[in-house]
Amino acid sequence: MLKINQVSASIAGIPVLRAIHTEFHAGQLLAIVGRNGAGKTTFLRAIMGLLPLSAGSIVMHGEDLSKIAPHRRTEFGIGYAPEDRVMFPTFTVEENLRLPCEVLGLSKHETDRRLARVLEVVPQLEVMLPRSGAALSGGQGKMAALGRALMAGNKLILLDEPFQGLAPVLAAHYAESLRRLHQLAPELCIVVTESNRSLLRDLPDATLTLERGELIATE
Ligand SMILES: Nc1ncnc2c1ncn2[C@@H]1O[C@H](COP(=O)(O)OP(=O)(O)OP(=O)(O)O)[C@@H](O)[C@H]1O
Ligand SMILES: [Mg+2]
């Protein structure tokens, strides 16, 4: 579904991703693990087009994403929950969730349908919907960010270190949500990064390991 062909990228002239070559498949729950600074966030940002590639290409369903502006990549059904989540504080949680669908120009009917599915996957969000985006705890913000990524991403969702800093109970809820999602949307590819692989337990069905910007193992 998503082909990553020999992708390299640099930040401030320093190579951060080195010739990464791999493929993401529909229906996969894939983990990308690596120490702090290994390049996990940079890899997801490169897929989202938030940083230019210095070499290689990223191809989704046969289309070279480098020709697609970053703000148009959600049209490919890619959802992204960044490490630092960012909810718009002056919007309610519901407005934050609906926003990506509005940007995509989806009908109210389709947006309502997606919101209903998100609430099925992350039922904890229901009570948060009317609250301000600024009123969430760190853990609640992670749940909301998952919901928002799902509103846009019906093919691929990229979740950057969702388990970091979650209290054990919330981490268990989050993992349950991912399992539920995996069942409810069997074609969706779910990608989760993590520096502490033990937090992922038996969740992923495949794991890529990054070290200093290089893909060193695929399991
Ligand atoms: N804005 C930046 N300016 C300079 N160097 C950067 C910047 N962002 C990232 N880097 C460098 O790029 C490398 C990869 O960083 P990245 O954030 O992708 O790692 P990560 O695997 O996500 O780490 P973490 O587990 O801490 O989130 C690191 O060596 C980092 O120092
Ligand atoms: Mg990171």
Side-chain angles (χ1 to χ4, degrees):
M1 180 194 60
L2 189 81
K3 290 201 165 89
I4 318 246
N5 299 314
Q6 305 290 354
V7 161
S8 298
S10 299
I11 297 177
I14 298 163
V16 175
L17 299 179
R18 301 159 200 263
I20 294 187
H21 195 77
T22 187
E23 194 171 340
F24 298 173
H25 301 282
Q28 204 174 28
L29 207 166
L30 177 71
I32 298 175
V33 300
R35 287 179 205 167
N36 300 126
K40 304 178 296 296
T41 299
T42 308
F43 187 29
L44 299 191
R45 286 176 55 82
I47 295 170
M48 290 310 293
L50 301 172
L51 134 137
L53 307 185
S54 50
S57 64
I58 301 177
V59 177
M60 182 147 181
H61 298 309
E63 263 206 83
D64 186 345
L65 287 185
S66 63
K67 299 190 176 70
I68 314 287
H71 68 276
R72 289 199 46 230
R73 293 193 190 195
T74 41
E75 290 170 26
F76 282 72
I78 308 179
Y80 172 48
E83 220 165 0
D84 48 2
R85 61 210 159 76
V86 247
M87 288 285 129
F88 289 108
T90 55
F91 286 2
T92 65
V93 172
E94 180 165 350
E95 286 163 344
N96 269 285
L97 290 176
R98 286 181 180 275
L99 192 63
C101 293
E102 280 162 22
V103 172
L104 282 170
L106 299 182
S107 66
K108 177 164 186 312
H109 177 76
E110 175 61 16
T111 308
D112 290 347
R113 195 188 67 76
R114 290 193 184 193
L115 184 59
R117 191 192 62 168
V118 165
L119 295 178
E120 210 178 321
V121 173
V122 198
Q124 295 87 348
L125 278 179
E126 181 112 43
V127 294
M128 297 180 214
L129 290 180
R131 291 192 207 156
S132 145
L136 303 181
S137 71
Q140 291 169 332
K142 296 250 181 185
M143 294 284 189
L146 168 63
R148 190 173 54 184
L150 271 177
M151 292 296 281
N154 56 0
K155 300 277 190 310
L156 169 67
I157 56 167
L158 307 172
L159 308 170
D160 200 2
E161 301 220 38
F163 292 99
Q164 276 308 309
L166 281 191
V169 175
L170 272 182
H173 286 162
Y174 198 101
E176 254 168 56
S177 287
L178 292 187
R179 281 199 193 93
R180 217 163 16 238
L181 177 61
H182 203 27
Q183 277 170 356
L184 284 171
E187 288 299 299
L188 179 72
C189 175
I190 306 168
V191 177
V192 179
T193 69
E194 192 45 73
S195 44
N196 177 359
R197 68 188 299 164
S198 67
L199 292 179
L200 296 169
R201 302 172 192 255
D202 59 353
L203 199 57
D205 39 44
T207 302
L208 305 179
T209 306
L210 278 182
E211 200 174 287
R212 290 189 208 93
E214 246 176 315
L215 191 59
I216 56 153
T218 306
E219 294 157 42

